[in-house]
Amino acid sequence: MKKVLTTCPYCGTGCMFYLVVDDDGTLVGVEPSNEHVVAKGQLCVKGWNAYHFVNHPDRLTQPMIRRNGKMEPASWDEALNLVVSKFKETQAKHGNDSVAFFSSAKTTNEENYLMMKLARAVFKTNNVDHCARLCHSSTVLGLAATFGSGAMTNSISCMEQADCILVTGSNTTEQHPLIGSRIIENVTNNGAKLIVADNRKIRLARLADIHVRWKNGTDVAFLNGIMNVIISEGLEDKEFIKTRTENYEELKKIIADYPPERAAEICGITPKEIVDVARMFAAADKAMIVYSMGITQHTHGVDNVKSCANLAMLTGNIGLPGTGVNPLRGQNNVQGACDMGALNGVFSGYQKVVDPTTREKFEKAWSVENLPAEPGLTITTAIDAAAEGKLKALYIMGENPMMSDPDQNHVREAMEKLEFIVVQDIFPTPTSEYADVILPAASYAEKNGTFTSTERRVQPVRKAIEPVGQSRTDWEILCDVAQRAGYDGMKYNSASEIMDEVATVTPIYGGVSYERIDQVGLQWPCLDKDHPGTPVLHSGKFARGLGMFSPAAYLPSKELPDEQYPFVLSTGRCYFHFHTGTMTRRSQMLDREERFPYVEISIEDAKELGIYDRAWIYVATRRGEVKVMAHVTDVAKKGVLFMPFHFEEGPANLLTINALDPIAKIPEYKVCAAKIRSAE
Ligand code: SF4
């Protein structure tokens, strides 16, 4: 048996574990790492089972090309030459921006860096993006505007040091289980106060000192109401506001419109709940905000994030252990994919494409000319452009928009209109059914590289076994495409050489190298080879200098319940599955635990409608209808439905609305109007 220390391919918590390989070179198990700072000898159920899918018979093992409407095996030469010639042909006919590249939060930092380099340096377009657009683009923009850096301010270990934790829009014990465990330990062992603001009675809510079940989408009113109480009762941190922030008068002006009575009415809760939360949060020495996609996935997602930042600054809870604004990133490397510039408007390290000095720097480093200056299409706007016939070709690495993007019929229309689609992945997906070329990629267990966890920790990914069949690592495929397109600047002997290049052009990764991240990783910013990394951001000074109060007024969600569609539908994940289910649904243990698509419905609603637990029902919105199993539960609040989006046979995103935050372009996955009927 051989044991290889690597990083979990599922959530952004970033547990490291050992992959266990037998003498035949077959993956046979996973063992936790006792030494790892986050895992501490533990794993959640997904981590324990993170080896099953690797050898699943469905793995893509050979390149495929669509010929006469049918996918047929092809050689790597044929497939890659076709990709390059089709992309070049499309650009010659329709311009550089007629093609787009979807990078992936599941692939390594090195591969994301190369995808954005391929798009920008070789194909001269900023049409490159990845699924952070669908989960935390509002965090990146909201926290950059207020603090100057769009990442989790503190470390996971800080969860054990806070005196009060406000968890909002995060089902932490299910989505980031080991972070959830830290919170539970702090509450039960140290008596830390826990406030949960969530419509659902999630597991943490059962332990909370206060559980507020506001109406979905009223976060800004709720947070403004809390700040109103803090200011009117003189509980704000006056010294912090004076010395560390700006724009406070503007905040006060807007917040004055949200006395607890008005905020409570908007939120559908009592004024007392708002007052109690405000007093508890403001009274703590070290108070922390933890949030996830319940905050970000709204048409006012950026406003929600800014409001969390406002509350933290108002109470002086930034820059110290046990405090901060802590967005929990969903996928293993969504933080890293953002850091690497797999976003439409920035190079690696969030260096803006519109800045001529930055472009000049990258032109020099990459030995190219005329890098495109305007931000490109995002994942969401690229789908719109394809549906309108403006975007012609799409290269999709490790993404599954047919399952993950809102309003599946709209995505289908886009896929059908595209003239050429490349899908590079480890498994066939609903998206690959539309591909003209399929490129088989190596899994995380078959390659070297790095992932960056939610706490900005850059950690190693190590090859434990050989790639299956003819599959190749994503970075090798991308380099091959670049060379066939006539570019010589993407030749590397190893993933480590790519990271060395990243470090030279990306100040926040300036001191990162494979030698230094060998066992526990390094938290960025890590500016040079002697820099120890940064567990807590904004100590003494914000990344932008002063923290910017950015008040927001409450705006209702785009589609609210009415007579015809009386329920609010919210979507998300469940404990046993991950994202579009590509990997977890191919793990027999995980799929056995949660096998059918389902909707959570409250006991009251189920009684009224005569729906019993595990009955099949139809959920419909203005976009379509799906058949799912009813989970009748007190987790759900009356009038609100919750559906996970992992199930191809009951796709939640057939129902969701394609309404976007105007700044972050993130879809409103958490609120749309729905109705239900029995299927039996
Ligand atoms: Fe993997 Fe997240 Fe579970 Fe840790 S908590 S084992 S990173 S899925």
Side-chain angles (χ1 to χ4, degrees), residues 277-532:
V277 171
R279 288 177 184 164
M280 187 176 281
F281 191 84
D285 268 355
K286 289 171 283 171
M288 157 184 286
I289 301 170
V290 173
Y291 74 77
S292 197
M293 285 171 271
I295 282 288
T296 58
Q297 290 178 330
H298 292 276
T299 45
H300 42 265
V302 173
D303 288 347
N304 287 355
V305 171
K306 285 179 175 172
S307 300
C308 289
N310 292 339
L311 175 61
M313 289 191 286
L314 184 68
T315 50
N317 279 304
I318 283 284
L320 296 166
T323 68
V325 177
N326 297 289
L328 304 182
R329 311 300 295 259
Q331 299 206 43
N332 54 331
N333 198 33
V334 70
Q335 180 65 56
C338 291
D339 300 345
M340 293 300 109
L343 294 167
N344 68 324
V346 290
F347 295 101
S348 55
Y350 307 95
Q351 301 170 84
K352 292 192 165 73
V353 296
V354 292
D355 176 19
T357 320
T358 301
R359 286 201 307 278
E360 206 179 304
K361 168 179 142 177
F362 277 89
E363 282 166 357
K364 215 163 145 196
W366 293 346
S367 307
V368 293
E369 289 173 351
N370 302 324
L371 285 174
E374 292 303 315
L377 295 169
T378 66
I379 278 197
T380 41
T381 56
I383 294 292
D384 292 345
E388 287 162 20
K390 291 180 190 155
L391 186 75
K392 305 289 182 187
L394 183 57
Y395 193 133
I396 304 171
M397 174 173 77
E399 291 271 322
N400 189 5
M402 275 303 294
M403 285 284 289
S404 59
D405 288 31
D407 191 357
Q408 203 177 70
N409 285 327
H410 176 60
V411 184
R412 182 175 297 114
E413 186 193 352
M415 291 290 156
E416 283 168 356
K417 284 231 175 104
L418 281 162
E419 290 172 6
F420 188 70
I421 301 175
V422 182
V423 170
Q424 181 171 312
D425 214 319
I426 62 173
F427 285 117
T429 63
T431 303
S432 68
E433 286 170 23
Y434 294 84
D436 296 286
V437 175
I438 293 178
L439 305 173
S443 75
Y444 83 106
E446 298 153 353
K447 63 186 174 188
N448 292 315
T450 55
F451 294 153
T452 303
S453 74
T454 190
E455 61 171 358
R456 299 171 278 102
R457 187 180 294 279
V458 188
Q459 306 190 114
V461 175
R462 293 198 178 91
K463 180 173 172 176
I465 57 169
E466 290 302 318
V468 301
Q470 294 180 34
S471 67
R472 299 169 70 188
T473 63
D474 290 288
W475 70 263
E476 286 170 315
I477 302 170
L478 297 175
C479 289
D480 205 339
V481 171
Q483 278 155 45
R484 284 166 202 263
Y487 178 60
D488 267 348
M490 272 170 60
K491 285 182 181 163
Y492 308 91
N493 294 311
S494 65
S496 145
E497 277 184 20
I498 305 167
M499 181 50 79
D500 292 343
E501 180 178 315
V502 170
T504 62
V505 292
T506 315
I508 57 174
Y509 276 64
V512 175
S513 67
Y514 278 28
E515 294 72 45
R516 293 193 70 198
I517 59 163
D518 190 43
Q519 293 296 316
V520 291
L522 267 174
Q523 285 173 281
W524 68 256
C526 176
L527 303 178
D528 55 53
K529 66 177 178 43
D530 300 318
H531 194 288

